[in-house]
Amino acid sequence: RLGTGKGAIHPTGSNFRREARWDAVRRMRAMVDQGTYDEPRWLKWAERSPPLELGELVVNAKKVKNPYPKLIDFLLKKYPELRFHDMYVEGNDWSQGNDMYLDTHPAMQFVARQLQHMNQGKTKREAFKLTE
């Protein structure tokens, strides 16, 4: 329990923990009770409605799965000449970090049609054959 006057208390840690402790309201209340700090104006407000603890906050976004890159890679392995279709048009450069051609590119139209078949319940291979 904090507030018993045992050694130094730092706002984000203590002498006996390796990780930071971010419960600022409880830590500040302990330091005010020890006489280390004068009571700040925000302390009563925060005790009435405490802030969201960072441990409960989900900071990592869910991973978005984009089916296009894998389907286009498979398509370009089978038909490598599609890579050079409209290659001088701005936006049709398949490069690292740029995982889309323009919507008018034949590869994108092929993969879009393949995804339509896959959404209707077909497997990847069946959809590829139907789209060919």
Side-chain angles (χ1 to χ4, degrees):
R1 176 169 137 68
L2 291 176
T4 57
K6 294 181 182 177
I9 296 178
H10 188 267
T12 59
S14 75
N15 297 337
F16 306 105
R17 288 182 178 258
R18 291 184 183 268
E19 72 274 356
R21 294 169 56 189
W22 298 109
D23 186 3
V25 176
R26 187 172 58 86
R27 309 264 314 152
M28 184 53 107
R29 173 52 63 197
M31 289 187 282
V32 167
D33 290 344
Q34 286 180 352
T36 308
Y37 287 101
D38 294 332
E39 185 170 336
R41 288 179 18 193
W42 58 264
L43 186 59
K44 285 184 184 174
W45 304 330
E47 285 174 334
R48 287 184 193 145
S49 60
L52 179 67
E53 294 299 325
L54 293 178
E56 300 167 6
L57 183 66
V58 177
V59 292
N60 292 336
K62 292 182 180 179
K63 194 167 193 174
V64 176
K65 293 183 181 178
N66 185 358
Y68 278 87
K70 287 184 180 178
L71 294 175
I72 287 181
D73 284 342
F74 183 78
L75 175 67
L76 292 179
K77 283 178 186 168
K78 186 161 186 180
Y79 299 108
E81 67 275 3
L82 281 177
R83 181 182 314 274
F84 304 109
H85 188 275
D86 288 341
M87 64 187 274
Y88 294 111
V89 175
E90 179 95 20
N92 275 341
D93 52 339
W94 188 270
S95 57
Q96 187 73 24
N98 182 20
D99 59 355
M100 300 281 278
Y101 286 115
L102 293 177
D103 292 336
T104 57
H105 195 278
M108 292 300 284
Q109 292 177 357
F110 184 94
V111 170
R113 184 57 55 100
Q114 184 181 359
L115 277 173
Q116 284 178 351
H117 291 304
M118 288 169 60
N119 288 337
Q120 294 170 356
K122 306 275 192 260
T123 65
K124 234 186 247 188
R125 290 182 188 273
E126 291 171 349
F128 190 89
K129 294 238 187 258
L130 282 172
T131 308
E132 279 184 313

